[in-house]
Amino acid sequence: MTAPDARQQFRTAWAADRQANRSYPKSRFVMRWFRLAQRWKAGRGPLSRLCFIVVGGSYKLVTEGFMGIELPVSTQVGPGLRLRHGVGVVVNPASRIGANVMLRQGVTLGNRRASDDCPTIEDDVEIGVGAVVIGAITVGAGARIGPNAVVFKDVPAGAVVMSPLSEIRL
């Protein structure tokens, strides 16, 4: 990828993240910082490395240490990621997240065995509060994962996955 392409990709993601999180200042703040850290990480030369150490280090300290959001800078994330409340979100760096995905609080995207045994979340997916998506699976475009669901098998595009407990009526 050439430098102008990388800059355009950064600008596109920045604008999409801003639009997707327009009513959520905390999420907008996190996503801007995330994209800025990614931009410096992708850069070459000593200035980029220095800027990444400062921006990436402060991003990690604040988001993980104070906000409880583990979204590593090395994670491949499409434009328009929406974080709703964010606290307790844990994303393995080997996970891949498509465009216009929504992650609510307490979501975990992780591995089962190997460090790269992580999910691929396609575009326009919504993942509910407390859901766990683990293993080398694919969650298809437009799928919905309900609250507290545990997903360890592929989810077809447009499907809805719910926790068995959501069927219980009190």
Side-chain angles (χ1 to χ4, degrees):
M1 182 182 315
T2 64
D5 290 340
R7 278 194 294 268
Q8 184 56 39
Q9 187 178 20
F10 170 77
R11 287 185 189 121
T12 300
W14 184 282
D17 293 342
R18 177 183 163 96
Q19 181 64 24
N21 293 292
R22 68 182 172 275
S23 299
Y24 293 86
K26 179 174 78 173
S27 299
R28 185 187 282 184
F29 172 75
V30 169
M31 289 310 299
R32 282 185 173 196
W33 209 348
F34 172 78
R35 296 294 180 192
L36 195 57
Q38 280 190 324
R39 183 177 183 194
W40 286 115
K41 183 175 183 179
R44 301 287 182 244
L47 178 61
S48 291
R49 279 191 290 252
L50 178 62
C51 288
F52 175 69
I53 289 170
V54 173
V55 173
S58 58
Y59 165 80
K60 184 175 175 94
L61 177 70
V62 172
T63 58
E64 286 185 24
F66 297 113
M67 300 175 95
I69 300 170
E70 290 185 36
L71 181 61
V73 173
S74 58
T75 307
Q76 182 182 331
V77 177
L81 176 64
R82 294 169 288 162
L83 297 173
R84 294 301 179 256
H85 307 294
V87 175
V89 169
V90 178
V91 177
N92 185 298
S95 298
R96 290 182 306 280
I97 301 172
N100 304 312
V101 170
M102 180 185 294
L103 301 179
R104 291 185 174 85
Q105 69 268 24
V107 167
T108 299
L109 304 178
N111 61 323
R112 282 195 283 188
R113 294 178 187 94
S115 62
D116 62 346
D117 177 27
C118 294
T120 297
I121 311 298
E122 293 184 347
D123 298 347
D124 304 310
V125 171
E126 290 188 28
I127 303 179
V129 174
V132 177
V133 182
I134 58 171
I137 65 168
T138 299
V139 177
R144 305 292 179 258
I145 309 294
N148 297 315
V150 177
V151 181
F152 53 90
K153 292 183 181 179
D154 287 342
V155 176
V160 176
V161 177
M162 296 187 309
S163 165
L165 296 177
S166 64
E167 296 294 319
I168 298 173
R169 306 261 192 262
L170 297 176

